[in-house]
Amino acid sequence: MITIQLPTALRTFTDGQADLQFEALTVEAALCQLTEQFADLQRHLFDDNGKLRSFVNVYLNDEDVRSFDGVNTSLKDGDVLMLIPAIAGGRETPRT
Amino acid sequence: MLTLTQEQIGTICKHAETEYPSECCGAMLGRFDNGICTVCEVLPISNQREEAAKYHRFLITSQEFLQCEKQARKQNLEVVGFYHSHPDHPAKPSQYDLEHSLPVYSYLIVSVQQGKSDKMTSWILQNDRSQFNEEEIK
């Protein structure tokens, strides 16, 4: 069993649950189960091409999964995944 | 509705003026209760965009976000939103803001005109990601 921890913004789509548990062998499998169970999360985590949005990061036990094998990273019992967005923004027009 | 103390508003305005003409940014920790978002703590964060882009862009990295989440959980609070400044530009969210936002959070924007803090607004992204809705600040 692995745990996925969600930031506040995404708990709206999981009936308020912050920590969710799944049986999954890879990060990808865990994310698939998450979005199958809570379909409204799909548009916030993945773009129209099914790719993880650029500002959404997945951490495995406090390490970005990109430093392992990305979404193909293997999981073991007791692992904790956290979905962590980067926050970006800025004004409309560049200074002239 | 987003509620902040005068001291918290002062912290945000001072940060915005200190970083001018660059954009400043930070996180807000607090509580959601019956549609009212109460800010308990304001955390100024260093804008991680490259120097050349800081005048119109800000970035809070996932590592910084992770630290905010951990601090919030430790204090039995939640990350309730983020603030940033728009130097010499209105306090209205841009298309870029919209594309990089998540629902639920309050996105507070303070306009800085010629180095002085001006209008402050706060916005929440609609769940379908189509637009921001302005919320009252009290």
Side-chain angles (χ1 to χ4, degrees):
Chain A
M1 193 78 81
I2 64 98
T3 300
I4 298 181
Q5 294 186 341
L6 298 176
T8 309
L10 300 180
R11 294 173 203 162
T12 296
F13 308 103
T14 60
D15 305 321
Q17 297 175 82
D19 299 342
L20 296 141
Q21 296 196 312
F22 298 98
E23 295 282 0
L25 296 176
T26 65
V27 171
E28 186 172 36
L31 294 178
C32 281
Q33 288 185 42
L34 175 67
T35 52
E36 276 170 15
Q37 189 170 338
F38 303 101
D40 288 343
L41 274 177
Q42 179 77 22
R43 70 160 68 100
H44 300 294
L45 299 182
F46 297 96
D47 64 20
D48 293 340
N49 298 316
K51 295 274 186 193
L52 202 61
R53 287 188 180 276
S54 60
F55 64 89
V56 176
N57 303 278
V58 183
Y59 278 70
L60 170 58
N61 305 326
D62 284 357
E63 289 285 336
D64 192 329
V65 296
R66 291 190 189 95
S67 64
F68 303 121
D69 202 10
V71 293
N72 297 316
T73 302
S74 298
L75 300 177
K76 63 180 187 308
D77 195 40
D79 277 343
V80 177
L81 289 177
M82 289 184 83
L83 298 185
I84 302 292
I87 304 297
R91 65 184 173 93
E92 197 68 76
T93 50
R95 186 169 52 189
T96 54
Chain B
M1 183 197 297
L2 180 70
T3 66
L4 298 115
T5 65
Q6 284 304 311
E7 186 181 355
Q8 290 164 343
I9 289 173
T11 298
I12 292 170
C13 289
K14 189 176 177 190
H15 189 201
E17 291 173 4
T18 301
E19 295 301 318
Y20 179 88
S22 295
E23 292 200 2
C24 75
C25 56
M28 298 181 290
L29 310 187
R31 293 188 178 91
F32 295 104
D33 187 25
N34 283 333
I36 297 174
C37 173
T38 302
V39 176
C40 298
E41 194 161 346
V42 169
L43 299 178
I45 294 171
S46 175
N47 183 352
Q48 293 299 304
R49 279 300 298 254
E50 65 276 21
E51 283 300 322
K54 282 183 179 176
Y55 72 92
H56 73 137
R57 292 286 181 262
F58 79 91
L59 172 66
I60 297 171
T61 65
S62 54
Q63 274 295 345
E64 295 276 11
F65 187 101
L66 185 58
Q67 293 310 313
C68 294
E69 273 286 324
K70 284 185 173 181
Q71 182 167 337
R73 282 183 183 232
K74 201 178 290 181
Q75 295 175 232
N76 206 23
L77 298 173
E78 294 183 89
V79 176
V80 294
F82 302 90
Y83 70 86
H84 71 282
S85 60
H86 280 181
D88 296 320
H89 206 78
K92 289 185 176 172
S94 64
Q95 182 64 27
Y96 190 85
D97 286 329
L98 188 134
E99 288 166 2
H100 292 80
S101 297
L102 286 169
V104 179
Y105 291 133
S106 291
Y107 288 88
L108 187 149
I109 302 173
V110 57
S111 173
V112 186
Q113 300 293 332
Q114 303 297 313
K116 291 293 292 178
S117 297
D118 194 41
K119 193 173 180 192
M120 184 178 275
T121 59
S122 187
W123 307 80
I124 298 175
L125 183 69
Q126 269 189 200
N127 283 354
D128 64 4
R129 305 190 64 84
S130 63
Q131 66 177 47
F132 277 109
N133 296 315
E134 188 168 4
E135 65 176 340
E136 184 184 356
I137 299 175
K138 200 170 176 185

